[in-house]
């Protein structure tokens, strides 16, 4: 006679029978509770939008109907993927560059008091730089066929949220851990590697999550001001200039999908890097 053994029970014989099934039901219920309300609200909003445009006979140049945007999205799907890849590459390169610089700056600011005092105002000044003023200047500094200006714009935009949240995490050290490392006569790098950096991880990923969506916005907006015409931003401006408003909105929808993709990837990386937070919330 063949006996089927629950893998969960085989892995942990002390686990209660049926625990895996209960966990699966809790996971499914949690997904429904998390995704249900946003889906319902989005469906209601799109329906109200469609009825308003159709029954109110709103002109397409004022507000296209969602059905027209969806049709253009379907027809231009290949172009949206190609241009979205170009914008996404610039956003990713700028996000990585800005994050690395922000992490190094935050570590230096938390280690040296003088840098900590002067770095926050400098970071705030960088955050106040408007993209519409920065992008044309950088486009003039580099070749018209270079992606460097857009990536620099993204790096500058994402620097502030990552720097501020990381610096806060590095400064919030448990006094017990500090006393313990002092009793071991641990050096500065050892203290940072074993205490500061692990404790600051949740703050780091909070900043990266905020920066992930900002990176896509900065990459798309920076394409409005010249340079290579291979991204979503350039297609939005060209479609709007040709009065193809549903197509322009379709590219806007593509930018929204790209921003959501960046945010979800940042969320998954955060879950992988800080698994104890998921276990604590479950």
């Amino acid at each position: 006679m063949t006996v089927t053994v629950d893998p969960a029970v085989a892995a942990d014989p002390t686990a209660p029978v049926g625990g895996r099934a209960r966990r699966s039901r809790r996971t499914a219920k949690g997904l429904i509770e998390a995704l249900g309300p946003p889906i319902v609200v989005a469906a209601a909003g799109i329906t109200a939008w469609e009825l308003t445009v159709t029954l109110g006979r709103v002109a397409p140049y004022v507000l296209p109907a969602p059905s027209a945007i969806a049709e253009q999205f379907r027809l231009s799907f290949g172009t949206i993927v190609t241009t979205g890849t170009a914008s996404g590459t610039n956003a990713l390169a700028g996000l990585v560059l800005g994050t690395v610089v922000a992490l190094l700056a935050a570590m230096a600011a938390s280690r040296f008091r003088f840098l900590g005092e002067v770095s926050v105002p400098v970071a705030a000044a960088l955050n106040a730089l408007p993209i519409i003023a920065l992008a044309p200047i950088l486009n003039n500094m580099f070749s018209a066929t270079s992606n460097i200006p857009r990536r620099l714009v993204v790096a500058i935009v994402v620097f502030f949220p990552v720097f501020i949240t990381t610096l806060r995490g590095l400064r919030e050290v448990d006094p017990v851990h500090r006393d313990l490392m002092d009793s071991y006569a641990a050096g500065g790098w050892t203290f940072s590697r074993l205490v500061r950096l692990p404790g600051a991880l949740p703050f780091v990923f909070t900043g990266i999550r905020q920066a992930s969506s900002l990176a896509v916005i900065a990459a798309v907006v920076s394409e409005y001001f010249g340079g290579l015409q291979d991204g979503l931003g350039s297609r939005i401006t060209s479609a709007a200039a040709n009065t193809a408003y549903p197509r322009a909105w379709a590219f806007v929808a593509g930018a929204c999908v790209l921003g959501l993709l960046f945010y979800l990837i940042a969320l998954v990386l955060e879950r992988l890097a800080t698994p104890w937070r998921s276990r604590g919330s479950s």
Side-chain angles (χ1 to χ4, degrees):
M1 182 176 65
T2 303
V3 178
T4 302
V5 179
D6 188 338
V9 176
D12 183 7
T14 62
V17 177
R20 186 180 184 186
R22 284 195 293 273
R23 284 195 297 272
S24 300
R25 285 196 294 271
R26 285 200 300 269
T27 303
K29 183 180 178 182
L31 284 175
I32 293 174
E33 290 177 349
L35 299 179
I39 292 175
V40 171
V41 171
I46 292 174
T47 303
W49 180 357
E50 181 75 29
L51 291 176
T52 300
V53 173
T54 303
L55 299 179
R57 297 183 179 180
V58 179
Y61 64 86
V62 176
L63 184 64
S67 57
I69 297 172
E71 177 65 14
Q72 287 298 321
F73 191 93
R74 185 184 66 80
L75 295 174
S76 306
F77 183 75
T79 306
I80 291 174
V81 171
T82 303
T83 54
T85 301
S87 297
T89 302
N90 290 329
L92 179 61
L95 178 61
V96 172
L97 175 63
T99 299
V100 170
V101 174
L103 293 178
L104 294 176
M107 291 176 63
S110 66
R111 184 70 177 83
F112 304 102
R113 182 183 297 273
F114 173 74
L115 290 179
E117 292 175 352
V118 302
S119 60
V120 175
V122 172
L126 285 176
N127 185 54
L129 287 174
I131 298 176
I132 56 174
L134 191 62
I137 295 174
L138 292 176
N139 281 332
N140 290 331
M141 292 172 61
F142 296 90
S143 168
T145 59
S146 174
N147 283 312
I148 293 177
R150 292 179 238 179
R151 295 175 182 180
L152 287 178
V153 169
V154 175
I156 293 172
V157 169
V158 306
F159 173 82
F160 184 77
V162 178
F163 172 77
I164 290 297
T165 53
T166 303
L167 183 59
R168 180 184 173 189
L170 291 172
R171 285 176 171 173
E172 290 192 0
V173 179
D174 192 325
V176 175
H177 295 163
R178 184 188 299 278
D179 293 341
L180 179 63
M181 298 305 291
D182 289 341
S183 67
Y184 290 152
W189 168 242
T190 303
F191 183 70
S192 296
R193 181 170 56 86
L194 298 179
V195 176
R196 286 184 184 275
L197 290 176
L201 272 182
F203 295 88
V204 173
F205 278 99
T206 298
I208 291 176
R209 271 193 286 113
Q210 297 174 0
S212 59
S213 300
L214 289 175
V216 175
I217 295 172
V220 172
V221 173
S222 63
E223 295 167 3
Y224 293 171
F225 305 97
L228 287 175
Q229 302 295 302
D230 61 346
L232 287 169
S234 59
R235 295 309 174 103
I236 292 172
T237 54
S238 62
N242 292 321
T243 67
Y245 298 107
R247 192 163 71 244
W249 277 83
F251 286 112
V252 172
C256 293
V257 172
L258 184 62
L260 286 175
L261 181 63
F262 266 62
Y263 183 83
L264 289 176
I265 292 175
L267 197 61
V268 170
L269 292 177
E270 181 181 10
R271 293 294 181 94
L272 295 176
T274 58
W276 62 89
R277 300 185 72 190
S278 302
R279 289 196 295 268
S281 61
S282 62

